[in-house]
Amino acid sequence: MFGGARSVLSLTTFLLTISLLPSPSRPATGSFIYGGCSQLKYNPGTPYESNLNSLLTSLVNSATFSSYNNFTILGSTPQDVVYGLYQCRGDLPMPDCATCVAHSVSQLGVLCFDSSGGALQLQGCFVKYDNTTFLGVEDKTVLMKKCGPSIGYNTDAMSRRDAVFSGLASAGGAYRVGGSGGVQGVTQCVGDLSSSECQDCVSEAIGRLRTDCATAVSGDMFLGKCYARYSAGGQYSKAKSDSSEEDAGKTLAIIIGILAGVALIIIFLSIIRKGFQEKGK
Ligand SMILES: *[C@@H]1O[C@H](CO)[C@@H](O)[C@H](O)[C@H]1NC(C)=O
Ligand SMILES: *[C@@H]1O[C@H](CO)[C@@H](O)[C@H](O)[C@H]1NC(C)=O
């Protein structure tokens, strides 16, 4: 049992290493936007660690059939509870959503090793977990902001952008896209917000883009539970071509996700079994 678990684990580690190597022809869903980890660390081998592993497995499995989900893994003590969610970009087909979340979870394992909380935003999906609850809580903290080069006071371009902004602000829904005269925009809320909270968050993100990226050719505003982005290049409405470019990586990433899930379940079961054996003595 243990020999088996160990060899599956080392295989998973190997595959995760492969998946972290930069892949030149894959700009789209898997590319990094921002990430962060809590300062607090958990001790390895604690129930919190196994709860976190089962949470991450649940996120990856759920992403094969739903573009948003949240999980709360209860422990025997309040300190062992772990909360988590993921949100895929609204236009991602299911296999791509699962690939993105699996990719994100494997990166978080490296980026936030030992941290009790972590969050990672990739182009195609957002994943977050923590030992304090944040589910259903609106969060408008600016986590990442980027403005493209200034095009100066080009009233034409700015009025097209304003038209895109008003369209996005009034569209409704967790995922919104809009375009006008070559300017493309997109907004996405995390699925735990109500529609009025989503509206509020999106308005805040758009308002900040308007002021902070006033004359920029493109802008990205990522808040705690939503984001708004625009670009004169139209790069945010190419999900179809993105996914065909990604076919090669997709299969590998799905295999990695499945193997990682299997490995985590085996480890989890062996911990439970060990727990029972110790209790039995
Ligand atoms: C979260 O984890 C840290 C580190 O283990 C711990 O100090 C803190 O009390 C935990 N918070 C909750 C709400 O359990
Ligand atoms: C979390 O998931 C449960 C079960 O899918 C759902 O009923 C609940 O509304 C979700 N909570 C939030 C805050 O999204």
Side-chain angles (χ1 to χ4, degrees):
M1 170 86 194
F2 269 84
R6 212 173 290 135
S7 60
V8 173
L9 181 62
S10 57
L11 177 63
T12 313
T13 313
F14 172 67
L15 285 172
L16 294 185
T17 314
I18 290 178
S19 77
L20 289 171
L21 294 174
S23 32
S25 64
R26 272 225 283 163
T29 54
S31 34
F32 178 89
I33 296 180
Y34 71 82
C37 315
S38 66
Q39 300 269 304
L40 293 167
K41 303 277 181 191
Y42 63 80
N43 292 320
T46 52
Y48 186 80
E49 182 177 40
S50 50
N51 283 353
L52 178 56
N53 286 342
S54 75
L55 174 91
L56 297 176
T57 308
S58 302
L59 297 180
V60 173
N61 291 339
S62 175
T64 58
F65 57 85
S66 173
S67 63
Y68 160 78
N69 214 344
N70 76 84
F71 290 91
T72 301
I73 309 290
L74 297 171
S76 46
T77 69
Q79 285 78 27
D80 299 334
V81 185
V82 53
Y83 307 88
L85 57 71
Y86 69 90
Q87 173 69 60
C88 286
R89 203 178 62 206
D91 62 335
L92 276 198
M94 277 312 117
D96 295 351
C97 176
T99 305
C100 188
V101 172
H103 197 67
S104 173
V105 162
S106 66
Q107 288 195 352
L108 276 164
V110 178
L111 186 72
C112 298
F113 180 72
D114 267 5
S115 290
S116 50
L120 182 60
Q121 175 77 58
L122 302 180
Q123 290 286 346
C125 62
F126 174 69
V127 172
K128 179 173 175 169
Y129 60 87
D130 208 346
N131 74 340
T132 55
T133 189
F134 57 93
L135 303 175
V137 180
E138 193 183 347
D139 179 0
K140 294 188 278 183
T141 317
V142 177
L143 296 179
M144 209 288 289
K145 175 186 99 171
K146 200 166 99 192
C147 302
S150 172
I151 46 169
Y153 277 91
N154 178 334
T155 42
D156 233 36
M158 284 167 79
S159 71
R160 282 198 301 271
R161 188 189 62 172
D162 281 346
V164 173
F165 283 161
S166 341
L168 290 172
S170 60
Y175 172 69
R176 311 172 186 185
V177 279
S180 166
V183 180
Q184 304 286 326
V186 61
T187 70
Q188 174 75 61
C189 289
V190 179
D192 62 337
L193 296 190
S194 69
S195 55
S196 61
E197 287 169 334
C198 175
Q199 187 59 39
D200 182 53
C201 192
V202 164
S203 304
E204 170 88 14
I206 288 175
R208 283 182 179 273
L209 280 178
R210 241 191 255 276
T211 53
D212 296 7
C213 301
T215 62
V217 68
S218 63
D220 297 327
M221 189 63 65
F222 287 83
L223 309 184
K225 284 284 174 77
C226 73
Y227 64 74
R229 316 178 72 180
Y230 76 92
S231 161
Q235 55 177 295
Y236 301 127
S237 55
K238 292 198 298 182
K240 283 269 152 49
S241 57
D242 285 353
S243 61
S244 59
E245 276 167 26
E246 273 196 284
D247 274 349
K250 200 189 295 175
T251 316
L252 177 62
I254 289 173
I255 294 169
I256 291 164
I258 292 167
L259 282 174
V262 169
L264 290 174
I265 289 165
I266 291 172
I267 295 161
F268 187 50
L269 288 178
S270 74
I271 290 167
I272 290 177
R273 214 164 92 145
K274 223 169 83 186
F276 278 136
Q277 280 165 357
E278 274 161 17
K279 268 191 203 131
K281 274 177 200 159

